[in-house]
Amino acid sequence: MTTPLNEQLNYRDNQLHLESCSLSSVAEQVATPFYCYSKARILQNTARCQAAFSAHDIGIHYAMKANSNLHILHLISSQGLGVDTVSAGEIQRAIAAGIAAEKIIFSGVGKSAAEIRLALDTGIGQFNVESAEELALLSTLAQTSTRPVRVALRVNPDVTVNTHRHITTGTRGNKFGMPPEQALQLFRDYADHACLNLCGLAMHIGSQICEAAPYRQAVSRLLALTKTLKAEGVHIRCLDLGGGFGIDYGNGSSLSFSEVAQVIADTIHTEAPDYDGKVVVEPGRSLVADAGVLVTRVNFVKEAEPRPFLILDAAMNDLMRPALYQAVHPLLTVSYADNRVQRQFDVVGPVCESTDTFARDYPVSEDIQAGDLMAFLCAGAYCSVMSNSYNSREIPAEVLVDENTVQVIRRRISQEELMAFED
Ligand SMILES: *Cc1c(COP(=O)(O)O)cnc(C)c1O
């Protein structure tokens, strides 16, 4: 395994630094475990994404479920990006972070009536509708709306992607989206609807996808539907192609923004050269994952057969991806000495579940000991947002680093605060 360090995450004087902050000095100010993000890295990722997609006139909506901290949202949206949301809570957060309502897309397979009402009242830019049933509910609720509601139908393009089965979304049998034939019929049924403006097609084929071919195939299917609709007099004004661009978790594979942008542009250029509507993408992970680490302390080195356990103070409730998708996050010692001999460990947390296992048979320097700091890399996406308090554990703080300044952007949620809800 290679360790995906980057311009903002590196060893200096044998100490792991995020920008100019040594993580051990941050750990003196903030209790472990904690999430720590690099502002510069988020801005770099955003800039690379914009450069790649805007070259082809493709808009970007950050899929904020990857990391919905208000400060992170503000940072990303201040660069001009819109957002993709999947709940009323995310819409409220987006508004609280200062994002204009018309830049908000509302996705999700199970929107409640209350959530739809909140989105209508907020005046969001686009609803991505995933079923005939949802469209019927939306049309009822939109009757009181003062202006037509923009709707894209999410199509399931039925493509196979090479990622973990728990994060594929665009294959038949997934709960997401609808078959192209059904979308076609709904466009016919709602063609002259008074309150709904059906004008878009959406897709999102999965997450952590490291090859461009499935995008080519799926976009091609959306374009075929766009052409069929055009022949019937329905003009698609927006193609929302979703996110899912893979990042390097240490196995060397990823999908660059420029590669996927090129594939999308080529496919449109060759298959629908006269398409003149908008095109947008919704990256989440690829904007924030590699900007974050989860800093944790070793509680015990427990000698055992067949391998010793490294027991950390972080657990599955702080970093759930290994338990959910057998994901492996590279784990480094915060203090580093050259030429240390490695020893194989099973790396676990303190929670009373066997799935509270971060890695098996994982190499760590043999002189690691209780009290040492370690950092899980690529913890900026789908980590803090999935955290919970199982085993009555406190929810870790989130910290944003900007050169040599450290800002706590969410303080640790204490046991007293958690208990206060049970008065
Ligand atoms: C989760 C999600 C995304 C973002 O996926 P990433 O893998 O984080 O890029 C985009 N669009 C929709 C509809 C999603 O549910």
Side-chain angles (χ1 to χ4, degrees), residues 16 20 53 84 95 111 143 170 189 194 197 241 243 246 275 283 296 310 334 356 368 383 386 400 407 417:
L16 192 57
S20 301
F53 287 102
D84 173 62
I95 295 294
K111 305 174 185 79
Q143 273 164 16
D189 296 347
N197 175 16
L241 307 178
Y275 174 72
T296 176
L310 201 56
V334 166
D356 186 21
I368 188 89
C383 294
M386 288 185 175
L400 185 65
Q407 183 191 3
E417 287 167 303

Side-chain angles (χ1 to χ4, degrees), residues 63 65-66 84 86 107 154 204 206-208 242-245 282-286 382:
K65 73 175 191 286
D84 173 62
V86 292
S107 302
R154 176 161 170 186
H204 171 66
S207 203
Q208 188 52 21
F245 319 141
E282 303 169 339
R285 183 194 314 273
S286 47
Y382 302 112

Side-chain angles (χ1 to χ4, degrees), residues 207-237:
S207 203
Q208 188 52 21
I209 298 168
C210 292
E211 39 187 31
Y215 289 95
R216 185 185 298 281
Q217 204 182 4
V219 170
S220 171
R221 293 196 179 153
L222 242 60
L223 292 171
L225 181 55
T226 305
K227 281 193 243 177
T228 310
L229 285 163
K230 193 175 177 190
E232 298 197 10
V234 179
H235 291 273
I236 292 299
R237 305 305 311 153

Side-chain angles (χ1 to χ4, degrees), residues 308-418:
F309 289 102
L310 201 56
I311 307 180
L312 306 176
D313 69 357
M316 62 191 291
N317 36 19
D318 315 308
L319 186 74
M320 208 197 275
R321 300 187 65 261
L324 268 186
Y325 327 113
Q326 288 115 41
V328 177
H329 284 255
L331 176 65
L332 298 179
T333 47
V334 166
S335 302
Y336 172 86
D338 297 316
N339 306 322
R340 284 210 276 207
V341 179
Q342 309 261 296
R343 187 181 178 199
Q344 299 300 117
F345 289 91
D346 283 357
V347 183
V348 301
V351 158
C352 304
E353 296 284 342
S354 294
T355 51
D356 186 21
T357 298
F358 295 113
R360 291 198 188 278
D361 211 357
Y362 193 88
V364 177
S365 65
E366 67 165 4
D367 55 1
I368 188 89
Q369 40 180 294
D372 285 357
L373 288 168
M374 302 193 80
F376 285 105
L377 308 194
C378 305
Y382 302 112
C383 294
S384 168
V385 284
M386 288 185 175
S387 62
N388 62 73
S389 62
Y390 182 41
N391 279 207
S392 293
R393 288 167 52 84
E394 299 185 337
I395 309 267
E398 291 180 284
V399 174
L400 185 65
V401 156
D402 179 8
E403 295 184 2
N404 57 5
T405 64
V406 174
Q407 183 191 3
V408 175
I409 58 171
R410 186 188 66 195
R411 60 193 173 79
R412 190 174 176 83
I413 302 176
S414 70
Q415 199 49 238
E416 287 71 31
E417 287 167 303
L418 289 168

Side-chain angles (χ1 to χ4, degrees), residues 42-113:
I42 294 173
L43 290 175
Q44 282 169 349
N45 289 343
T46 306
R48 264 190 302 108
C49 187
Q50 286 177 305
F53 287 102
S54 56
H56 302 286
D57 219 10
I58 299 173
I60 309 164
H61 287 251
Y62 168 54
M64 60 177 276
K65 73 175 191 286
N67 188 322
S68 55
N69 183 290
L70 292 174
H71 297 261
I72 305 281
L73 267 184
H74 182 73
L75 188 60
I76 293 177
S77 63
S78 67
Q79 304 306 300
L81 280 71
V83 283
D84 173 62
T85 61
V86 292
S87 71
E90 287 194 350
I91 294 172
Q92 289 170 298
R93 277 181 176 265
I95 295 294
I99 297 168
E102 62 268 21
K103 288 188 146 183
I104 300 176
I105 296 175
F106 189 13
S107 302
V109 68
K111 305 174 185 79
S112 72

